[in-house]
Amino acid sequence: MDGAHDMGGAAGFGPVRPEPNEPVFHAAWERRALAITLAMAMPGGWNIDMSRFARENRPPADYLGMSYYQVWLAGLERLMQERHLVEADELAAGKALHPARPVAKILTADGVAPMLRRGGPTERAQTRPALFAVGDRVRAKTMHPPTHTRLPRYVRGHVGRIDAIRGMHVFPDSNAHGHGEDPQWLYTVSFSGTELWADAPDPLLEVTVDAFEPYLERA
Amino acid sequence: MTDHHHDHHHHDHSELSETDLRVRALESILTEKGYIDPAALDVLIETYESKVGPRNGARVVARAWTDPAFRARLLSDATPAIGELGYAGRQGEHIVAVENTPELHNMVVCTLCSCYPWPVLGLPPVWYKSAPYRAKAVKDPRGVLQDFGFALPATTKIRVWDSTAEIRYFVVPMRPDGTEGWSEDQLAELVTRDSMIGTGLAKRPDEVTR
């Protein structure tokens, strides 16, 4: 979706403000928000692409008006409500009002280290040959799906070069909507700064994105 | 004035408290329903607050600086190379290491969200997740470096890696001059988090107390 999350090249946000000696968390609630979000994926059964879509799919002013972990919380609340694990009246009341739904599995203290170590690898078996080879010129498609995608707007329509082939990976555009993993070839595609930003060309700038095969066409 | 300053903090604190109450309520609802175990939350927080952080990545870089065979493995297939030091897993399932040289400077961003190589760098800093960085890095990375207080030679190429899929990029900064004969532990002290994102350089020897 063409949402506020797709920020590459946007103007008006001002300078980057690094924070010296930044703590990992800036408030106690951020610790719990991170941990609850990581823990709930197990009973909730959603995948990372569904999580990302739940966070980004909201009015731009809402997205931009929230802190990062507030966006996480909003995404989590939506994922839980969609599955009726928690209802809106419970969130409003701040207490459980309905019986729990059965869940397959929950994260225990002992299960944390194995869960983190396992992670969520997205590479899958290579079931067909890759359409493009390293060095090929490709154009990022002009596409504006209302659904989840990982092709940022600032490269759409622009011509780049295949720099690396990363194997076949779970396709977020499908996986985010429960349509299966539908693995696709993943490429690192480089674009010159002059190709992307005609108004502010830096002749020594190159930008790469990791693009799934359906995002690309031969140029 | 101190009192005035204090008032501002108090105001900020009240706003945070609203979210704080919301998160407390959420945790109690989910615990009561049996979906989460608060002890697991404690372990998750402990992991990312004190165990997994940029010290891990600094050890990887220091090894690459001192062990040419390791450096070669790191640059050809980073995930198993980093695994040799015991770092692996969530948000580092598919890591690619990219090396800075006098001719080429690498910088990593995630314009769409906040993708970051957790096993080697821990959780991302606020600025990395912020709109200014996500907007500016792919268009004006030299301006970003200015925001961080340094400049590259005008002749150095910049390559910005936008982490739009599940590949996680990790920058191997240049080893500072004047560190010949240093041990891995000493070298690791020079490797900052920002130098492994590409918004900084490794510290010079005179910036650390030996």
Side-chain angles (χ1 to χ4, degrees):
Chain A
M1 63 173 288
D2 293 349
H5 68 289
D6 185 357
M7 293 176 171
F13 286 117
V16 182
R17 298 185 188 281
E19 179 185 344
N21 304 312
E22 179 175 344
V24 176
F25 298 103
H26 290 72
W29 69 264
E30 291 190 347
R31 293 185 177 84
R32 306 311 281 182
L34 169 94
I36 293 168
T37 302
L38 296 187
M40 272 309 293
M42 194 175 275
W46 48 76
N47 60 51
I48 192 165
D49 301 304
M50 293 171 179
S51 293
R52 290 199 181 114
F53 189 64
R55 290 171 196 155
E56 72 201 19
N57 182 20
R58 55 194 65 252
D62 289 359
Y63 184 90
L64 295 170
M66 286 189 270
S67 78
Y68 194 77
Y69 284 118
Q70 286 174 330
V71 172
W72 273 39
L73 277 176
L76 174 66
E77 288 177 356
R78 177 178 297 167
L79 290 164
M80 293 190 302
Q81 288 179 79
E82 284 171 352
R83 289 157 183 80
H84 300 286
L85 293 168
V86 171
E87 302 292 349
D89 58 353
E90 296 178 300
L91 293 174
K95 57 181 181 188
L97 301 171
H98 309 285
R101 306 277 286 203
V103 293
K105 206 168 152 191
I106 77 159
L107 183 66
T108 60
D110 288 347
V112 171
M115 184 270 286
L116 294 178
R117 172 133 310 238
R118 204 162 51 241
T122 55
E123 190 167 6
R124 297 291 181 265
Q126 297 174 7
T127 53
R128 56 182 180 268
L131 204 57
F132 305 112
V134 170
D136 283 0
R137 276 165 51 87
V138 290
R139 184 183 298 276
K141 288 181 184 168
T142 300
M143 49 183 253
H144 300 280
T147 45
H148 185 64
T149 190
R150 296 291 289 181
L151 181 68
R153 261 178 291 186
Y154 72 90
V155 300
R156 294 179 195 168
H158 288 292
V159 173
R161 175 185 179 276
I162 302 281
D163 272 12
I165 305 181
R166 304 294 188 192
M168 289 185 79
H169 285 255
V170 174
F171 190 37
D173 303 45
S174 170
N175 202 39
H177 300 285
H179 301 147
E181 294 190 338
D182 189 21
Q184 301 287 341
W185 283 98
L186 179 66
Y187 305 90
T188 297
V189 184
S190 64
F191 300 86
S192 71
T194 46
E195 165 74 17
L196 295 177
W197 313 110
D199 58 327
D202 180 341
L204 294 179
L205 168 62
E206 201 169 59
V207 178
T208 75
V209 303
D210 290 328
F212 292 88
E213 200 166 83
Y215 299 166
L216 303 171
E217 58 199 11
R218 206 168 288 282
Chain B
M1 281 177 16
T2 312
D3 283 352
H4 183 74
H5 198 226
H6 181 79
D7 282 343
H8 274 287
H9 274 285
H10 185 71
H11 177 67
D12 289 345
H13 186 72
S14 302
E15 281 184 349
L16 289 178
S17 293
E18 205 174 300
T19 308
D20 187 60
L21 291 173
R22 179 171 152 221
V23 174
R24 280 167 201 251
L26 184 62
E27 182 173 340
S28 85
I29 295 170
L30 300 179
T31 305
E32 190 183 332
K33 291 196 162 199
Y35 300 152
I36 57 171
D37 174 356
L41 305 191
D42 295 339
V43 176
L44 282 164
I45 293 162
E46 161 77 12
T47 301
Y48 288 109
E49 196 151 42
S50 19
K51 292 183 183 157
V52 181
R55 290 302 89 210
N56 292 3
R59 287 199 52 215
V60 174
V61 171
R63 174 133 337 153
W65 284 349
T66 51
D67 179 344
F70 178 78
R71 172 181 165 275
R73 289 198 297 281
L74 180 68
L75 295 176
S76 69
D77 193 359
T79 315
I82 288 167
E84 292 173 32
L85 281 79
Y87 313 135
R90 190 184 180 96
Q91 286 300 306
E93 296 90 345
H94 312 287
I95 301 182
V96 169
V98 294
E99 187 180 51
N100 285 347
T101 67
E103 294 76 36
L104 176 69
H105 182 86
N106 295 282
M107 187 187 291
V108 180
V109 65
C110 171
T111 61
L112 297 174
C113 49
S114 57
C115 298
Y116 193 72
W118 290 14
V120 278
L121 296 187
L123 299 176
V126 166
W127 62 258
Y128 182 87
K129 304 179 281 191
S130 73
Y133 185 67
R134 287 160 59 184
K136 193 170 175 180
V138 292
K139 187 171 186 182
D140 181 19
R142 280 178 215 273
V144 169
L145 297 182
Q146 275 173 20
D147 295 340
F148 279 82
F150 79 98
L152 288 174
T155 52
T156 303
K157 268 182 71 171
I158 299 192
R159 185 173 247 241
V160 180
W161 303 82
D162 190 355
S163 317
T164 53
E166 298 305 325
I167 311 292
R168 296 289 166 267
Y169 293 94
F170 170 70
V171 177
V172 180
M174 284 194 287
R175 178 171 174 165
D177 292 336
T179 57
E180 294 74 18
W182 284 36
S183 70
E184 249 181 75
D185 284 349
Q186 289 172 318
L187 288 168
E189 292 298 312
L190 301 175
V191 184
T192 64
R193 178 196 64 204
D194 292 356
S195 75
M196 296 179 280
I197 303 173
T199 55
L201 304 174
K203 290 181 187 168
R204 296 185 312 270
D206 62 0
E207 290 178 280
V208 292
T209 46
R210 289 187 67 187

